[in-house]
Amino acid sequence: MQIRIVVIHLIAVLAVFPAHAGEIDSAAIIAAHNKWRSEAGVTEKLEYSPALASTAQAWVDNLKRTNHCRMRHSPAQGQYGENLYRASAQTWSNGSRKLQQVSPEKGVDSWGSEKADYDCVNNHCSAGKQCGHYTQMVWRTTTNVGCAMAVCEDTREQVWACRYQPAGNLTGSKPC
């Protein structure tokens, strides 16, 4: 009987994360980023970089292993632009935790929502707000992005990272 429960649980996990917990839909990531870039008037489309995705995977695996999927920017961030996203588990009243289904668009759109607080004409973010995730996504000279995610099995939380090259958010420069 216990074996059956484990198999059913494993099937449920695989339904949420098809082949491997770190695999993401690169086409959906690109489409979501390029939608925000287009809305900002940036005509240059991003291309997906497996090399950047590999470095992002190494970082989220490190966060999983050393930081319980809590977000922390990489010390290598100067080499890349980097956006992070964290999704908590769905928690039920009986204390059980279930892996939240997170689409690539959800994380990208969370960064894109910062657009409401950013004035591109004056290159200004509203006081007390954060706009750097959005500006990195729409940075005109950025050409490549690679993303990855990891799941902390004990907490059922997940952390996502996207890395960008060339990096944006250069002081005194405008993204769009």
Side-chain angles (χ1 to χ4, degrees):
M1 196 64 137
Q2 277 187 313
I3 293 173
R4 185 176 196 171
I5 293 170
V6 170
V7 171
I8 290 170
H9 177 71
L10 180 59
I11 290 169
V13 169
L14 291 175
V16 175
F17 294 102
H20 174 275
E23 289 183 13
I24 59 171
D25 183 348
S26 60
I29 287 284
I30 288 294
H33 275 84
N34 285 332
K35 174 190 78 104
W36 286 102
R37 289 171 70 85
S38 176
E39 288 177 10
V42 177
T43 58
E44 299 83 3
K45 302 224 183 277
L46 289 179
E47 293 185 19
Y48 199 77
S49 167
L52 287 174
S54 179
T55 67
Q57 189 66 56
W59 183 243
V60 295
D61 287 345
N62 178 62
L63 292 176
K64 171 184 174 178
R65 194 174 48 258
T66 65
N67 210 38
H68 305 289
C69 286
R70 288 187 300 262
M71 296 186 300
R72 183 179 69 229
H73 279 291
S74 166
Q77 184 183 3
Q79 301 172 39
Y80 319 99
E82 183 178 77
N83 283 347
L84 301 174
Y85 177 80
R86 184 173 181 235
S88 61
Q90 292 178 326
T91 305
W92 304 102
S93 58
N94 67 2
S96 66
R97 300 170 69 85
K98 179 181 169 192
L99 200 58
Q100 184 182 156
Q101 290 189 31
V102 177
S103 69
E105 297 86 356
K106 186 172 183 176
V108 173
D109 288 348
S110 76
W111 302 322
S113 70
E114 294 174 2
K115 176 183 179 180
D117 299 310
Y118 182 70
D119 174 1
C120 189
V121 172
N122 296 307
N123 194 23
H124 177 74
C125 187
S126 299
K129 299 295 183 173
Q130 189 170 13
C131 300
H133 301 102
Y134 170 72
T135 56
Q136 174 57 79
M137 286 195 324
V138 302
W139 202 266
R140 186 174 307 282
T141 58
T142 297
T143 57
N144 294 288
V145 64
C147 303
M149 60 85 67
V151 175
C152 283
E153 287 83 10
D154 58 337
T155 62
R156 311 307 294 154
E157 295 174 347
Q158 51 194 295
V159 62
W160 294 63
C162 286
R163 291 207 166 158
Y164 304 84
Q165 272 189 332
N169 291 337
L170 304 174
T171 304
S173 297
K174 289 174 62 172
C176 40

